[in-house]
Amino acid sequence: MKIYWSADNVPELKGLDKQEQKRLFEECNKEGRKRIGSAFWIRLIIVIVASAIIAAFLPLGGAIGGAIIGVFVGFLLVTFVQSPAIEAGRLWLQEQGYPKV
């Protein structure tokens, strides 16, 4: 599975100007969430619960601990929630004729 950190990582959006990339990335993400349906929400809930459990049991305090937990939660969200939605949304982009060659 590929991780989609930003619009630059989506092959169908390569070569477009930044504003168009951003707009299509958001639409792709939205359409992908529709296409995977309840699996999106289930994944989101699992990530939130796992993050809360990890944050509760790790003795990390202060700014450093918060930063470590934030990076971990961000990684989980991108890996298990956003990337599958973008992957499903790429099909929509292809149906719309992207990449425009």
Side-chain angles (χ1 to χ4, degrees):
M1 176 177 78
K2 183 166 172 55
I3 296 176
Y4 298 99
W5 293 103
S6 69
D8 292 333
N9 299 115
V10 180
E12 289 80 6
L13 302 180
K14 297 268 189 217
L16 299 174
D17 65 74
K18 292 294 179 187
Q19 282 187 322
E20 185 70 3
Q21 273 187 345
K22 182 180 176 184
R23 184 185 70 78
L24 286 170
F25 186 74
E26 290 171 2
E27 287 185 37
C28 173
N29 194 5
K30 184 178 177 181
E31 184 63 32
R33 288 192 314 257
K34 282 186 206 174
R35 289 182 181 220
I36 62 175
S38 62
F40 172 81
W41 297 107
I42 292 168
R43 287 170 177 261
L44 183 61
I45 290 168
I46 290 169
V47 167
I48 290 170
V49 170
S51 299
I53 290 170
I54 289 167
F57 290 108
L58 285 180
L60 299 173
I64 301 282
I68 291 170
I69 291 171
V71 167
F72 180 72
V73 171
F75 177 76
L76 286 178
L77 284 171
V78 168
T79 305
F80 296 110
V81 179
Q82 178 177 300
S83 290
I86 296 297
E87 192 65 41
R90 286 183 61 208
L91 297 174
W92 174 79
L93 283 171
Q94 293 166 4
E95 292 166 2
Q96 303 305 311
Y98 290 95
K100 304 278 187 190
V101 181

